[in-house]
């Protein structure tokens, strides 16, 4: 390489360096802002995670403390005081409260709590259906046969989480209405379902036999 070529390379390198410094002086603040934003974002995520963990811990402690109350009335009152911004947490606390109210013999109040959970549109459908199903089982005495049938049919829709359990209850309503043929037909459909559990299959088969059907 000649001295002239070497000189040209050095000049070119200097020009590139000058241009880089010029760009950094003009736009370097953007990089600084980006770095600061990344650091602040990471810090905020950690803070939010810590806050959520602390809130979940406090909620769990509150529910645990309430459940340790021996007196059902005190237990129900303590669970009723548990508050949360999380729909599922509220639902779990409410279901525990309804259990305490049942232990206290207050089935209507328990049903009210469960029905409020079932009406919570922020909850996943499975929680709402479980609450509605439990409400029906604890307040059935206050409802007519037709009213219970309508509510169980809403839970027995194809694909619903509690479809088979609701179908089983509908079969029992058929028995209550002395419509044994309809009850047996519904029970046979339940047994043939691919989603049926072993415990439920045994229970339904026993009911079929008790009603004079064949399995």
């Amino acid at each position: 390489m000649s001295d002239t070529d070497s000189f040209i390379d050095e000049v070119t390198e200097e020009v590139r360096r000058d241009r880089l410094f010029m760009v950094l002086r003009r736009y370097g603040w953007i990089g600084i802002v980006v770095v600061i934003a990344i650091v602040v974002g990471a810090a905020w995520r950690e803070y939010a995670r810590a806050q959520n963990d602390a809130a979940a811990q406090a909620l769990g402690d509150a529910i645990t403390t309430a459940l340790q109350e021996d007196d059902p009335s005190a237990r129900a009152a303590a669970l009723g005081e548990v508050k949360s911004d999380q729909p599922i947490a509220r639902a779990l606390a409410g279901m525990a409260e309804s259990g305490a109210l049942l232990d206290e013999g207050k089935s209507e109040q328990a049903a009210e709590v469960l029905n409020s959970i079932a009406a919570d549109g922020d909850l996943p459908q499975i929680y709402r259906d479980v609450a509605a199903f439990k409400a029906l089982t604890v307040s059935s005495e206050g409802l007519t046969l037709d009213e219970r049938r309508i509510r169980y049919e809403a839970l027995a829709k194809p694909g619903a989480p509690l479809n088979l359990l609701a179908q089983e209850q509908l079969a029992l309503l058929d028995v209550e209405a002395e419509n044994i043929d309809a009850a047996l037909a519904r029970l046979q459909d339940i047994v043939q379902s691919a989603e049926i559990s072993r415990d439920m299959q045994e229970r339904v088969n026993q009911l079929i036999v008790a009603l004079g059907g064949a399995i």
Side-chain angles (χ1 to χ4, degrees), residues 146-181:
D146 287 340
E147 288 173 333
R148 282 178 283 158
R149 184 181 298 279
I150 289 172
R151 297 193 184 189
Y152 278 122
E153 285 176 346
L155 297 171
K157 294 178 180 178
L162 303 184
N163 171 34
L164 294 184
L165 287 173
Q167 291 286 357
E168 182 182 17
Q169 293 300 315
L170 286 169
L172 293 176
L173 291 182
D174 289 332
V175 174
E176 186 177 340
E178 299 182 355
N179 191 345
I180 305 302
D181 290 340

Short mmCIF file of all heavy atoms in Angstrom, two decimals, residues 146-181:
data_model
loop_
_atom_site.label_atom_id
_atom_site.label_comp_id
_atom_site.label_asym_id
_atom_site.label_seq_id
_atom_site.Cartn_x
_atom_site.Cartn_y
_atom_site.Cartn_z
N ASP A 146 -91.00 -26.23 38.38
CA ASP A 146 -90.78 -25.61 37.08
C ASP A 146 -89.65 -24.58 37.14
O ASP A 146 -88.86 -24.46 36.19
CB ASP A 146 -92.06 -24.94 36.58
CG ASP A 146 -93.10 -25.96 36.13
OD1 ASP A 146 -92.71 -27.11 35.84
OD2 ASP A 146 -94.29 -25.60 36.09
N GLU A 147 -89.57 -23.83 38.23
CA GLU A 147 -88.51 -22.83 38.39
C GLU A 147 -87.15 -23.51 38.46
O GLU A 147 -86.18 -23.05 37.84
CB GLU A 147 -88.76 -21.99 39.64
CG GLU A 147 -89.92 -21.01 39.50
CD GLU A 147 -90.25 -20.33 40.81
OE1 GLU A 147 -89.98 -20.91 41.88
OE2 GLU A 147 -90.80 -19.21 40.77
N ARG A 148 -87.09 -24.60 39.20
CA ARG A 148 -85.83 -25.34 39.29
C ARG A 148 -85.45 -25.93 37.93
O ARG A 148 -84.28 -25.93 37.54
CB ARG A 148 -85.94 -26.45 40.33
CG ARG A 148 -85.83 -25.97 41.78
CD ARG A 148 -86.00 -27.11 42.74
NE ARG A 148 -87.41 -27.48 42.86
CZ ARG A 148 -87.84 -28.68 43.28
NH1 ARG A 148 -86.98 -29.63 43.58
NH2 ARG A 148 -89.13 -28.92 43.38
N ARG A 149 -86.45 -26.42 37.21
CA ARG A 149 -86.18 -27.01 35.90
C ARG A 149 -85.59 -25.97 34.94
O ARG A 149 -84.61 -26.23 34.23
CB ARG A 149 -87.45 -27.62 35.30
CG ARG A 149 -87.23 -28.33 33.98
CD ARG A 149 -88.53 -28.88 33.42
NE ARG A 149 -89.11 -29.88 34.31
CZ ARG A 149 -88.72 -31.15 34.36
NH1 ARG A 149 -87.74 -31.57 33.57
NH2 ARG A 149 -89.30 -32.00 35.18
N ILE A 150 -86.15 -24.80 34.93
CA ILE A 150 -85.67 -23.73 34.05
C ILE A 150 -84.22 -23.39 34.37
O ILE A 150 -83.38 -23.22 33.47
CB ILE A 150 -86.56 -22.48 34.19
CG1 ILE A 150 -87.93 -22.74 33.56
CG2 ILE A 150 -85.91 -21.27 33.52
CD1 ILE A 150 -88.95 -21.64 33.81
N ARG A 151 -83.89 -23.32 35.65
CA ARG A 151 -82.53 -22.95 36.05
C ARG A 151 -81.53 -24.06 35.75
O ARG A 151 -80.40 -23.80 35.32
CB ARG A 151 -82.51 -22.58 37.53
CG ARG A 151 -83.37 -21.36 37.85
CD ARG A 151 -83.09 -20.83 39.23
NE ARG A 151 -83.99 -19.71 39.56
CZ ARG A 151 -83.86 -18.95 40.63
NH1 ARG A 151 -82.87 -19.18 41.50
NH2 ARG A 151 -84.70 -17.97 40.86
N TYR A 152 -81.95 -25.31 35.96
CA TYR A 152 -81.05 -26.42 35.65
C TYR A 152 -80.86 -26.56 34.14
O TYR A 152 -79.78 -26.92 33.68
CB TYR A 152 -81.57 -27.73 36.24
CG TYR A 152 -81.23 -27.91 37.70
CD1 TYR A 152 -82.23 -28.11 38.65
CD2 TYR A 152 -79.91 -27.89 38.14
CE1 TYR A 152 -81.93 -28.28 39.99
CE2 TYR A 152 -79.60 -28.06 39.49
CZ TYR A 152 -80.62 -28.25 40.40
OH TYR A 152 -80.30 -28.41 41.74
N GLU A 153 -81.90 -26.29 33.38
CA GLU A 153 -81.78 -26.37 31.92
C GLU A 153 -80.78 -25.34 31.40
O GLU A 153 -80.08 -25.59 30.41
CB GLU A 153 -83.15 -26.17 31.27
CG GLU A 153 -84.06 -27.39 31.39
CD GLU A 153 -85.45 -27.15 30.83
OE1 GLU A 153 -85.79 -25.95 30.60
OE2 GLU A 153 -86.19 -28.13 30.64
N ALA A 154 -80.70 -24.18 32.07
CA ALA A 154 -79.72 -23.17 31.66
C ALA A 154 -78.30 -23.66 31.89
O ALA A 154 -77.36 -23.27 31.16
CB ALA A 154 -79.96 -21.88 32.44
N LEU A 155 -78.11 -24.54 32.88
CA LEU A 155 -76.78 -25.08 33.18
C LEU A 155 -76.50 -26.36 32.38
O LEU A 155 -75.36 -26.84 32.38
CB LEU A 155 -76.67 -25.39 34.68
CG LEU A 155 -76.79 -24.20 35.62
CD1 LEU A 155 -76.88 -24.68 37.07
CD2 LEU A 155 -75.61 -23.26 35.46
N ALA A 156 -77.53 -26.91 31.75
CA ALA A 156 -77.39 -28.20 31.06
C ALA A 156 -77.20 -28.05 29.56
O ALA A 156 -77.28 -29.03 28.82
CB ALA A 156 -78.62 -29.06 31.34
N LYS A 157 -76.92 -26.86 29.10
CA LYS A 157 -76.73 -26.65 27.66
C LYS A 157 -75.49 -27.42 27.18
O LYS A 157 -74.51 -27.55 27.92
CB LYS A 157 -76.57 -25.17 27.37
CG LYS A 157 -77.82 -24.35 27.65
CD LYS A 157 -77.57 -22.87 27.38
CE LYS A 157 -78.83 -22.06 27.67
NZ LYS A 157 -78.61 -20.60 27.45
N PRO A 158 -75.50 -27.93 25.97
CA PRO A 158 -74.33 -28.67 25.44
C PRO A 158 -73.07 -27.83 25.52
O PRO A 158 -73.06 -26.66 25.13
CB PRO A 158 -74.73 -28.93 23.98
CG PRO A 158 -76.23 -28.94 24.00
CD PRO A 158 -76.63 -27.91 25.01
N GLY A 159 -72.02 -28.42 26.05
CA GLY A 159 -70.75 -27.72 26.17
C GLY A 159 -70.59 -26.94 27.45
O GLY A 159 -69.50 -26.45 27.75
N ALA A 160 -71.68 -26.80 28.23
CA ALA A 160 -71.59 -26.07 29.50
C ALA A 160 -70.75 -26.87 30.48
O ALA A 160 -70.77 -28.11 30.47
CB ALA A 160 -72.98 -25.83 30.06
N PRO A 161 -69.99 -26.20 31.38
CA PRO A 161 -69.09 -26.90 32.29
C PRO A 161 -69.78 -27.94 33.18
O PRO A 161 -69.22 -28.99 33.45
CB PRO A 161 -68.50 -25.77 33.14
CG PRO A 161 -68.63 -24.55 32.29
CD PRO A 161 -69.88 -24.73 31.51
N LEU A 162 -71.01 -27.65 33.62
CA LEU A 162 -71.72 -28.55 34.53
C LEU A 162 -72.90 -29.24 33.83
O LEU A 162 -73.89 -29.59 34.47
CB LEU A 162 -72.22 -27.77 35.75
CG LEU A 162 -71.15 -27.03 36.55
CD1 LEU A 162 -71.77 -26.37 37.78
CD2 LEU A 162 -70.03 -27.97 36.97
N ASN A 163 -72.75 -29.45 32.56
CA ASN A 163 -73.83 -30.03 31.75
C ASN A 163 -74.35 -31.33 32.34
O ASN A 163 -75.56 -31.49 32.57
CB ASN A 163 -73.32 -30.25 30.32
CG ASN A 163 -74.29 -31.04 29.47
OD1 ASN A 163 -75.49 -30.93 29.61
ND2 ASN A 163 -73.76 -31.86 28.59
N LEU A 164 -73.47 -32.29 32.61
CA LEU A 164 -73.92 -33.60 33.07
C LEU A 164 -74.53 -33.55 34.47
O LEU A 164 -75.53 -34.22 34.75
CB LEU A 164 -72.76 -34.59 33.04
CG LEU A 164 -72.21 -34.93 31.65
CD1 LEU A 164 -71.13 -36.00 31.74
CD2 LEU A 164 -73.33 -35.41 30.72
N LEU A 165 -73.93 -32.75 35.36
CA LEU A 165 -74.49 -32.63 36.70
C LEU A 165 -75.90 -32.02 36.64
O LEU A 165 -76.80 -32.44 37.38
CB LEU A 165 -73.58 -31.76 37.57
CG LEU A 165 -72.27 -32.41 38.02
CD1 LEU A 165 -71.39 -31.38 38.72
CD2 LEU A 165 -72.55 -33.59 38.95
N ALA A 166 -76.07 -31.03 35.78
CA ALA A 166 -77.39 -30.42 35.64
C ALA A 166 -78.37 -31.41 35.03
O ALA A 166 -79.54 -31.46 35.43
CB ALA A 166 -77.28 -29.16 34.79
N GLN A 167 -77.91 -32.22 34.06
CA GLN A 167 -78.77 -33.23 33.48
C GLN A 167 -79.23 -34.24 34.53
O GLN A 167 -80.38 -34.70 34.54
CB GLN A 167 -78.04 -33.96 32.34
CG GLN A 167 -77.80 -33.13 31.09
CD GLN A 167 -79.05 -32.91 30.27
OE1 GLN A 167 -80.11 -33.43 30.58
NE2 GLN A 167 -78.92 -32.14 29.19
N GLU A 168 -78.32 -34.59 35.42
CA GLU A 168 -78.67 -35.52 36.49
C GLU A 168 -79.76 -34.94 37.39
O GLU A 168 -80.70 -35.63 37.78
CB GLU A 168 -77.42 -35.84 37.32
CG GLU A 168 -77.66 -36.84 38.43
CD GLU A 168 -76.40 -37.08 39.25
OE1 GLU A 168 -75.47 -36.25 39.17
OE2 GLU A 168 -76.36 -38.08 39.99
N GLN A 169 -79.63 -33.66 37.71
CA GLN A 169 -80.65 -33.00 38.53
C GLN A 169 -81.98 -32.92 37.80
O GLN A 169 -83.05 -33.06 38.42
CB GLN A 169 -80.18 -31.61 38.93
CG GLN A 169 -78.99 -31.59 39.87
CD GLN A 169 -79.28 -32.31 41.18
OE1 GLN A 169 -80.33 -32.12 41.78
NE2 GLN A 169 -78.34 -33.14 41.62
N LEU A 170 -81.93 -32.70 36.50
CA LEU A 170 -83.16 -32.68 35.71
C LEU A 170 -83.84 -34.05 35.72
O LEU A 170 -85.07 -34.14 35.75
CB LEU A 170 -82.86 -32.24 34.28
CG LEU A 170 -82.54 -30.76 34.08
CD1 LEU A 170 -82.01 -30.51 32.67
CD2 LEU A 170 -83.79 -29.92 34.33
N ALA A 171 -83.05 -35.12 35.70
CA ALA A 171 -83.62 -36.46 35.79
C ALA A 171 -84.32 -36.66 37.13
O ALA A 171 -85.40 -37.26 37.20
CB ALA A 171 -82.52 -37.51 35.61
N LEU A 172 -83.72 -36.13 38.20
CA LEU A 172 -84.35 -36.23 39.51
C LEU A 172 -85.64 -35.42 39.56
O LEU A 172 -86.60 -35.81 40.24
CB LEU A 172 -83.38 -35.74 40.59
CG LEU A 172 -82.13 -36.62 40.80
CD1 LEU A 172 -81.20 -35.98 41.81
CD2 LEU A 172 -82.54 -38.02 41.24
N LEU A 173 -85.68 -34.31 38.84
CA LEU A 173 -86.91 -33.54 38.76
C LEU A 173 -87.99 -34.33 38.01
O LEU A 173 -89.17 -34.26 38.34
CB LEU A 173 -86.66 -32.20 38.07
CG LEU A 173 -85.82 -31.18 38.84
CD1 LEU A 173 -85.70 -29.88 38.04
CD2 LEU A 173 -86.41 -30.89 40.21
N ASP A 174 -87.56 -35.07 36.98
CA ASP A 174 -88.51 -35.94 36.27
C ASP A 174 -89.09 -36.99 37.21
O ASP A 174 -90.30 -37.29 37.16
CB ASP A 174 -87.82 -36.63 35.09
CG ASP A 174 -87.48 -35.67 33.96
OD1 ASP A 174 -88.20 -34.66 33.81
OD2 ASP A 174 -86.51 -35.93 33.22
N VAL A 175 -88.23 -37.53 38.06
CA VAL A 175 -88.70 -38.51 39.05
C VAL A 175 -89.69 -37.85 40.00
O VAL A 175 -90.75 -38.42 40.33
CB VAL A 175 -87.52 -39.11 39.83
CG1 VAL A 175 -88.03 -40.01 40.96
CG2 VAL A 175 -86.61 -39.89 38.90
N GLU A 176 -89.34 -36.65 40.44
CA GLU A 176 -90.22 -35.92 41.35
C GLU A 176 -91.58 -35.65 40.70
O GLU A 176 -92.62 -35.66 41.38
CB GLU A 176 -89.56 -34.60 41.75
CG GLU A 176 -90.32 -33.81 42.81
CD GLU A 176 -89.59 -32.55 43.23
OE1 GLU A 176 -88.35 -32.47 43.01
OE2 GLU A 176 -90.25 -31.63 43.78
N ALA A 177 -91.56 -35.44 39.39
CA ALA A 177 -92.80 -35.20 38.66
C ALA A 177 -93.47 -36.51 38.24
O ALA A 177 -94.49 -36.48 37.52
CB ALA A 177 -92.52 -34.35 37.43
N GLU A 178 -92.92 -37.63 38.69
CA GLU A 178 -93.44 -38.97 38.40
C GLU A 178 -93.41 -39.30 36.91
O GLU A 178 -94.24 -40.06 36.41
CB GLU A 178 -94.86 -39.13 38.96
CG GLU A 178 -94.92 -38.95 40.48
CD GLU A 178 -96.32 -39.17 41.04
OE1 GLU A 178 -97.26 -39.35 40.23
OE2 GLU A 178 -96.47 -39.15 42.27
N ASN A 179 -92.43 -38.72 36.22
CA ASN A 179 -92.24 -39.02 34.80
C ASN A 179 -91.01 -39.92 34.69
O ASN A 179 -89.92 -39.48 34.31
CB ASN A 179 -92.06 -37.73 34.00
CG ASN A 179 -92.14 -37.97 32.50
OD1 ASN A 179 -92.07 -39.10 32.03
ND2 ASN A 179 -92.30 -36.89 31.74
N ILE A 180 -91.20 -41.17 35.03
CA ILE A 180 -90.08 -42.11 35.13
C ILE A 180 -89.45 -42.38 33.77
O ILE A 180 -88.21 -42.49 33.65
CB ILE A 180 -90.54 -43.45 35.77
CG1 ILE A 180 -91.20 -43.18 37.12
CG2 ILE A 180 -89.35 -44.39 35.93
CD1 ILE A 180 -90.31 -42.45 38.11
N ASP A 181 -90.25 -42.49 32.73
CA ASP A 181 -89.71 -42.75 31.39
C ASP A 181 -88.76 -41.63 30.96
O ASP A 181 -87.68 -41.89 30.40
CB ASP A 181 -90.84 -42.89 30.38
CG ASP A 181 -91.64 -44.16 30.57
OD1 ASP A 181 -91.11 -45.10 31.21
OD2 ASP A 181 -92.79 -44.23 30.10
#
